[in-house]
Amino acid sequence: MALRGRKVSARGESMAANYAFGPLEDDVIIKHRLLTRTTTTRGEPPLKKLQKKFTSFVLEIEKDGNNYDDCEKLSRAFLQELSTFEIPLLKSKAVVDANIREKESFHEFKDEINRQILLSQGDIEDLKKQLEESKIERKHKEECEAIRKLIAAQPPRSVTQKSIMELEKEIAALNAENTASSRMLELRKKQFALLLHVVDELQNTIEDEQKSLMEEIRITSEENKIGVDEASGEAMAVD
């Protein structure tokens, strides 16, 4: 058995090596054989059998003599073979028609799928726009919520108004205190200026008095000196 398997394998390899047709030519030959039914896997090809029946019938008709029974017999055999040959053709035609219908249905289905794809693409674009709008709306809502929380965290308006009034009072008090301080400062400036003027006048008066005193001392000294000189002259004259 193993030896026979090796022989078959070798035969197949040799057939494959000697194969003279390409894939496209092989498809054409197979299509032609299926259409003409000139080959079969078992027995004689149907077309050849039909051809033989027809040839036998024609040859019998062309013979001279009383062969009516043979012609009728061959005619029935030919018609039977023709009917037998026609059945697979009708089946093949039904298969072809079914394939054509299936092909048309496939094209219709393909067109429907393409239409659905276009509709889906349009829906996807619309959903993208809706998503972007939803994102923007959500962002606005989040911002509004943050502002609301910030406002809620602030004290009530009455408390804020009261605080503002207290601050205004404090500012008014500070302004009044600032005005009083400014007036006091201005008064102190005037008093200090007056004090400086009095001191300057006093200093000038003291300087004048010192000059007058020095002048009186000088005059007194000169008078004393003159008196001493006169006394000394009289004493010398008496001697």
Side-chain angles (χ1 to χ4, degrees):
M1 294 294 291
L3 181 62
R4 183 180 297 178
R6 286 196 295 271
K7 288 182 179 179
V8 173
S9 177
R11 183 179 178 184
E13 291 176 358
S14 63
M15 289 178 65
N18 296 326
Y19 194 70
F21 302 106
L24 297 177
E25 294 175 350
D26 187 43
D27 291 340
V28 173
I29 292 171
I30 292 173
K31 183 177 180 181
H32 178 72
R33 287 178 178 178
L34 290 174
L35 291 175
T36 59
R37 301 181 62 83
T38 56
T39 59
T40 182
T41 57
R42 292 180 297 177
E44 192 175 10
L47 187 59
K48 287 184 179 181
K49 290 172 67 177
L50 181 62
Q51 184 181 3
K52 287 182 179 181
K53 297 287 184 181
F54 179 74
T55 303
S56 299
F57 174 64
V58 172
L59 292 176
E60 191 66 28
I61 291 175
E62 292 178 353
K63 289 180 180 181
D64 295 331
N66 190 8
N67 55 353
Y68 179 77
D69 293 335
D70 293 335
C71 289
E72 185 178 1
K73 182 179 178 181
L74 291 174
S75 174
R76 285 196 301 270
F78 170 71
L79 292 175
Q80 184 178 0
E81 188 65 30
L82 181 62
S83 177
T84 304
F85 183 79
E86 188 179 9
I87 291 173
L89 293 179
L90 294 175
K91 291 182 179 180
S92 298
K93 184 177 182 303
V95 172
V96 170
D97 293 339
N99 289 334
I100 292 174
R101 288 193 301 270
E102 186 176 357
K103 183 178 179 181
E104 292 175 353
S105 177
F106 172 75
H107 285 304
E108 292 177 358
F109 182 67
K110 183 179 178 181
D111 294 337
E112 180 65 20
I113 289 177
N114 291 331
R115 189 179 67 84
Q116 293 294 335
I117 288 173
L118 293 176
L119 291 176
S120 299
Q121 289 177 350
D123 293 338
I124 289 171
E125 294 297 327
D126 293 337
L127 290 174
K128 285 182 179 179
K129 292 180 181 179
Q130 292 179 8
L131 180 61
E132 293 297 328
E133 292 176 357
S134 299
K135 287 182 178 179
I136 295 173
E137 185 177 358
R138 181 178 179 182
K139 184 178 180 182
H140 290 168
K141 287 183 178 179
E142 290 177 352
E143 291 176 352
C144 292
E145 182 66 18
I147 295 173
R148 187 191 66 79
K149 290 181 179 179
L150 183 62
I151 294 173
Q154 301 301 320
R157 182 180 181 85
S158 58
V159 176
T160 305
Q161 192 68 27
K162 184 178 179 181
S163 299
I164 292 173
M165 292 177 65
E166 291 178 354
L167 289 173
E168 289 177 349
K169 290 179 180 179
E170 292 181 0
I171 291 171
L174 290 174
N175 288 331
E177 184 177 354
N178 186 26
T179 302
S181 298
S182 298
R183 291 177 180 176
M184 182 63 68
L185 180 61
E186 188 67 24
L187 179 61
R188 292 288 185 267
K189 286 181 179 179
K190 292 180 179 180
Q191 290 177 351
F192 185 71
L194 179 60
L195 178 62
L196 289 176
H197 179 70
V198 171
V199 169
D200 188 40
E201 291 292 331
L202 182 61
Q203 187 175 0
N204 292 332
T205 302
I206 293 172
E207 288 178 357
D208 292 340
E209 290 179 356
Q210 287 179 352
K211 287 180 181 179
S212 298
L213 182 61
M214 291 297 293
E215 185 65 23
E216 290 178 359
I217 293 172
R218 186 180 64 76
I219 294 170
T220 303
S221 296
E222 288 179 355
E223 290 177 352
N224 291 332
K225 185 177 179 181
I226 293 172
V228 171
D229 289 341
E230 289 178 354
S232 296
E234 291 179 355
M236 289 178 64
V238 171
D239 292 338

